[in-house]
Amino acid sequence: MNEEKTRLLMLVDDEPAQCRLVSTIAARAGWRTIFASDAEMAIAILGTQDGMMLDAVILDQALPGADSASLIAELKSNRPALPIMLMTSIGSSESAIEAMRAGASDYLIKPVAAERMIAALELASDHSKTAGELQPLTEKISQPLDFEEIIGSAPPFRAALAVAAKAARSRVPILIEGESGVGKEVIADAIQAASPRSKQPYLKVNCGALAPNLLDSVLFGHEKNAFAGAFDRRIGIVQQAEGGTIFLDEVDHLPAETQIRLVRLLNKNEIQPLGCQHSYKIDVRVISAANSDLLEKIEKGSFREDLYYRLNVVQLTIPALRDRKSDIPALARHFLSRMASQPGLRSLGITDEALSLLNGYSWPGNVRQLQSALFRAAVLCERDALTEQEFPQIASVVSSSNTKLESVNEGTGGIGVTLFEDDGNLRPLEEIEADVIRLAIGHYRGRMTEVARRLGIGRSTLYRKLADLGIDNAA
């Protein structure tokens, strides 16, 4: 990469191993990393030549002797436009909320996943792209859901869930395909919860987050002295999950040697750790997920055809959020309800106008991006319900593409019926019914026989409703 295109990252962290991991991931995307081991050094670096050229900062929330929110606020006071991301442990959502209120643009869950960190850095540093709530949070505030709890009524999504629920009862491998952020891990978790192995070990590996030369050891283990640096014997994830399930996320990133070992596992139910002279019989179920088209990778020679068909005994394709926009209102309320249980957040509604705005956006980051947008809006909202004002960047994108929607409902031809009050609560059924009848009378130009027929009621019933609801026939 040309030197002028190299971007500069400051990592504020005192853990050498984590510093090496983050800087290695950043280097793959063309970033150079400088390090600060404490808050005092981070502030000092801002005044140096490198500090003036910074494109982003990643700050470890566990930095000894430092209040991350205060440090973020001080960094932002010196450099208001500098994107700052907090690196935090699972379960530290309260710290993440405080950090975002102090000015952090995003947060990363440790251990850091390579693809997600790179995506967060790209969005944080690219000022030509929409910022703020359009930046995907790299992890979710959520707990595993049963199939009955998964939100979505769009036919392609329900069809995929039906196949998943049926396949959960068997031990056959399942391949889940779909764009990043559509919820593949959520589906995998539901499959595990509904399977006969639900009480057995369930271990996950993000194949895209690990260096290719480490994957064999992580998955299948190694013996002492199997390679340089193998000072102790290591039991791999597959063996640890004996009797249970492993979830291989981003399986499209598997290197060739690991693909061969995985074929052996799926074909013969056995593994051979690195440096071991014999193999082990293993009973483990494999659920995998891929962001890219594996058939294209097979054509290019980067993915084994025999592995594809062994992983793909049952195939699930999860549709993108733009293909199931009718699910956005239910998803939004579901996420807000779950967020309300997090320390530092409270119960919030969402207005019909805000939902219309969300419905008008294309959501390239899918469900994960929607959750991110709602999370950021909830953190910063001072009202009792989220309104259009909580989503300024989305509003600008929707407005610039002339996609202003008048209703949450699809198929209304641009003429909608408001379902929710400004506080986010549903309007009374009587009021909604009156609006529907008025819409029908206007649409069919007062032809009452046609109005009654299209509403599926008799003329006498229609006239009775007009009287009960106080609607003029000429409405």
Side-chain angles (χ1 to χ4, degrees), residues 160-286:
L161 284 188
V163 174
K166 185 175 181 180
R169 298 190 290 271
S170 70
R171 76 173 299 277
V172 298
I174 297 175
L175 173 63
I176 309 172
E177 294 186 308
E179 296 177 7
S180 180
V182 295
K184 298 186 292 295
E185 187 175 347
V186 172
I187 304 299
D189 291 349
I191 291 171
Q192 165 64 11
S195 77
R197 298 169 181 252
S198 60
K199 304 299 183 184
Q200 301 304 315
Y202 176 44
L203 303 179
K204 303 178 182 181
V205 178
N206 187 319
C207 302
L210 294 172
N213 61 336
L214 293 179
L215 263 173
D216 271 3
S217 174
V218 170
L219 286 173
F220 304 108
H222 65 253
E223 295 296 314
K224 183 177 180 180
N225 298 322
F227 51 85
F231 301 115
D232 296 294
R233 179 172 181 264
R234 175 175 187 166
I235 298 176
I237 293 291
V238 174
Q239 196 169 349
Q240 293 177 43
E242 169 67 32
T245 304
I246 58 171
F247 174 55
L248 303 179
D249 199 5
E250 300 185 24
V251 72
D252 39 322
H253 286 79
L254 284 175
E257 184 64 31
T258 308
Q259 290 182 40
I260 295 172
R261 290 178 176 274
L262 191 55
V263 168
R264 181 177 183 178
L265 169 65
L266 293 168
N267 200 32
K268 298 183 177 181
N269 296 321
E270 64 180 31
I271 62 167
Q272 186 171 356
L274 298 175
C276 188
Q277 300 303 310
H278 61 276
S279 60
Y280 294 92
K281 281 292 183 180
I282 292 291
D283 174 23
V284 68
R285 185 192 197 166
V286 178

Side-chain angles (χ1 to χ4, degrees), residues 6-7 64 75 93 103 113 134 150 180 192 270 353 369 396 459:
T6 300
R7 288 158 294 180
L75 291 170
S93 58
L134 295 187
I150 295 176
S180 180
Q192 165 64 11
E270 64 180 31
E353 290 75 18
Q369 187 185 11
S396 67
R459 277 176 59 92

